[in-house]
């Protein structure tokens, strides 16, 4: 895309580049170059225009534009296409529409804000600008019964990315990532499947980054680190880690992911209370099974396998 190309040239040059050079390099007219420059300025890029010298990039906006996310991104498959929206209902819904129209695996939908952010089981996900709200289209060749592996995998990748940014992130089964006991990230995987095959999975990830978050149970990267975070760098590192974990999953299966999950888990070894289909199951969280189910040892000594549910940590694991 010419606009992205212009940005790439201006970034690499770090100096003025004439309209003529841009036009020649890209094989378009100078008027077309000017049109793209105008759009970039409208999008918030600070570009100095000097007669006789050309254009110089001075300021990049704090937006998760495809041209930012894809610039220097090491992931090959994830982010091969990035759709950016200033505001939308839910990025999961947009990603689903793209997947239904046959978009390639790895497409990412990112919004600066959502008006109807979705949590699990019809719950709401609070969205404020300054966070990372994105959905990724995946097409794993797995049994639909094993789709929840993707949720656990994503929790591992987000935890690694947060740790890379300097935060002591841990996982609460099944899909929450916590820092200092507060939720910093939620994951919502939605699936389209036949009886024995997955058509696609929409992996929705919400991370509180620089945004405000009024919930007492929630925290943000900014408030934990005491400084603003470079969202583009964070998204890039997340996509790169996620791609690596996803390839491991495809090549070696779920076992290595599960070991990482166990290492980062704050749930295992704890006294928990899990709400599962109108039933409250209390006991000690013993392990996760190879389909991502939680194994809870109840007071009468029996072991319960919980496929999905809401988990409350009761006592410290002492870990
Ligand atoms: C989740 O649901 O944690 C899944 C959240 C997925 C959000 C992403 S954002 C991009 C993509 N597009 C979407 O529309 N969704 C995905 P659940 O486990 O049901 O947790 C929901 C609960 O978390 C709520 O009931 C609140 O208690 C709490 N919550 C809501 N917003 C939050 C936030 N921003 N940060 C932390 N906790 C939040």
């Amino acid at each position: 895309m010419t606009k992205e190309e212009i940005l790439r040239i201006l970034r690499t040059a770090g100096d003025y580049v004439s309209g003529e050079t841009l036009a020649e390099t890209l094989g378009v007219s100078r008027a077309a170059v000017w049109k793209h420059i105008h759009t970039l300025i409208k999008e918030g890029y600070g570009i100095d225009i000097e007669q006789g010298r050309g254009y110089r990039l001075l300021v990049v906006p704090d937006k998760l534009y495809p041209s930012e996310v894809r610039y220097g991104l090491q992931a090959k498959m994830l982010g091969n296409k990035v759709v950016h929206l200033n505001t939308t209902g839910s990025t999961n819904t947009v990603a689903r529409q793209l997947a239904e129209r046959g978009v390639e695996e790895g497409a990412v939908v990112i919004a600066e804000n959502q008006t109807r952010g979705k949590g699990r089981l019809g719950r709401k996900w609070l969205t404020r600008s300054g966070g990372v709200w994105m959905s990724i289209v995946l097409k794993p060749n797995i049994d639909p019964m094993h789709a929840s592996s993707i949720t656990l995998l994503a929790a591992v990748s987000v935890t690694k990315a947060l740790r890379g940014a300097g935060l002591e992130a841990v996982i609460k089964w099944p899909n929450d990532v916590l820092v200092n006991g507060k939720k910093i990230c939620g994951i919502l995987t939605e699936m389209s499947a036949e009886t024995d095959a997955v058509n696609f999975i929409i992996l929705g990830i919400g991370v509180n980054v620089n945004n405000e978050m009024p919930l007492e149970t929630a925290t943000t990267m900014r408030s934990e680190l005491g400084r603003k975070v470079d969202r583009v760098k964070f998204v890039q590192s997340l996509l790169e880690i996620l791609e690596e974990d996803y390839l491991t999953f495809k090549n070696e299966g779920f076992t290595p992911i599960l070991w990482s999950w166990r290492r980062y888990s704050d749930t295992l070894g704890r006294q928990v209370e899990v709400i599962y289909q109108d039933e409250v199951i209390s006991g000690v969280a013993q392990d996760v099974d190879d389909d991502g189910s939680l194994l809870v040892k109840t007071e009468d000594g029996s072991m319960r396998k919980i496929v999905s549910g809401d988990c409350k940590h009761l006592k410290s694991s002492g870990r």
Side-chain angles (χ1 to χ4, degrees):
M1 195 175 141
T2 316
K3 198 176 72 180
E4 260 183 58
E5 289 291 294
I6 290 177
L7 267 179
R8 199 178 47 74
I9 296 170
L10 293 182
R11 265 193 247 261
T12 326
D15 199 351
Y16 289 91
V17 181
S18 71
E20 200 173 346
T21 307
L22 285 171
E24 264 172 28
T25 316
L26 300 170
V28 295
S29 69
R30 284 176 66 175
V33 169
W34 165 241
K35 234 176 97 188
H36 287 301
I37 294 276
H38 195 69
T39 311
L40 287 169
I41 292 171
K42 271 217 314 237
E43 287 176 355
Y45 287 89
I47 297 174
D48 189 38
I49 305 167
E50 211 173 287
Q51 192 103 50
R53 296 181 80 188
Y55 309 105
R56 181 178 179 166
L57 180 64
L58 296 179
V59 181
V60 169
D62 181 13
K63 294 269 186 149
L64 295 169
Y65 288 141
S67 47
E68 298 305 313
V69 171
R70 286 169 45 77
Y71 183 74
L73 177 68
Q74 299 294 316
K76 289 194 176 63
M77 192 253 299
L78 298 190
N80 55 20
K81 178 183 173 79
V82 176
V83 174
H84 175 270
L85 300 155
N86 274 319
T87 178
T88 188
S90 157
T91 54
N92 264 36
T93 310
V94 179
R96 174 179 282 272
Q97 287 161 354
L98 287 179
E100 275 162 2
R101 279 189 245 128
V103 79
E104 262 187 63
E105 176 171 58
V108 177
V109 178
I110 304 182
E112 298 294 332
N113 217 334
Q114 300 180 114
T115 50
R116 281 188 304 278
K118 293 193 280 188
R120 294 179 305 144
L121 309 164
R123 282 189 289 249
K124 289 198 175 90
W125 180 254
L126 277 191
T127 308
R128 298 280 186 279
S129 61
V132 166
W133 326 114
M134 67 178 184
S135 301
I136 304 167
V137 178
L138 296 176
K139 300 184 180 177
N141 191 4
I142 56 171
D143 189 306
M145 297 276 285
H146 293 151
S148 64
S149 332
I150 299 293
T151 309
L152 273 74
L153 183 152
V156 165
S157 308
V158 172
T159 302
K160 288 182 185 169
L162 289 169
R163 287 184 175 216
L167 291 167
E168 284 277 324
V170 291
I171 306 173
K172 181 163 87 83
W173 183 86
N175 68 326
D176 291 355
V177 181
L178 313 179
V179 172
N180 286 327
K182 293 185 168 183
K183 186 159 169 174
I184 198 160
C185 164
I187 297 163
L188 173 70
T189 36
E190 295 181 292
M191 174 171 62
S192 152
E194 314 291 322
T195 1
D196 54 359
V198 169
N199 297 327
F200 59 79
I201 285 180
I202 304 299
L203 170 60
I205 301 178
V207 187
N208 297 315
V209 183
N210 297 322
N211 55 295
E212 300 291 326
M213 191 36 63
L215 293 175
E216 285 236 333
T217 52
T219 191
T220 68
M221 290 181 77
R222 185 185 192 155
S223 59
E224 294 296 328
L225 289 167
R227 62 180 158 76
K228 203 172 164 199
V229 172
D230 183 330
R231 288 189 307 151
V232 171
K233 284 220 175 78
F234 178 70
V235 168
Q236 289 179 332
S237 99
L238 178 54
L239 291 175
E240 286 160 9
I241 295 169
L242 197 58
E243 176 159 299
E244 202 182 314
D245 289 337
Y246 186 57
L247 289 179
T248 302
F249 172 69
K250 278 187 156 176
N251 296 329
E252 298 167 38
F254 191 43
T255 309
I257 305 299
L258 205 49
W259 279 109
S260 302
W261 192 93
R262 288 188 180 105
R263 191 168 50 209
Y264 297 134
S265 156
D266 192 37
T267 301
L268 300 184
R270 273 189 191 263
Q271 187 76 34
V272 295
E273 209 174 75
V274 190
I275 302 173
Y276 174 55
Q277 295 178 344
D278 297 334
E279 188 191 352
V280 181
I281 302 162
S282 314
V284 177
Q286 295 282 336
D287 200 2
V288 272
D289 172 321
D290 54 14
D291 62 359
S293 304
L294 187 67
L295 303 174
V296 175
K297 192 169 187 181
T298 59
E299 256 160 32
D300 65 9
S302 64
M303 193 71 88
R304 293 290 303 270
K305 178 181 154 101
I306 307 165
V307 185
S308 67
D310 278 310
C311 175
K312 204 156 124 193
H313 289 167
L314 296 181
K315 268 192 239 146
S316 160
S317 62
R319 295 200 315 161

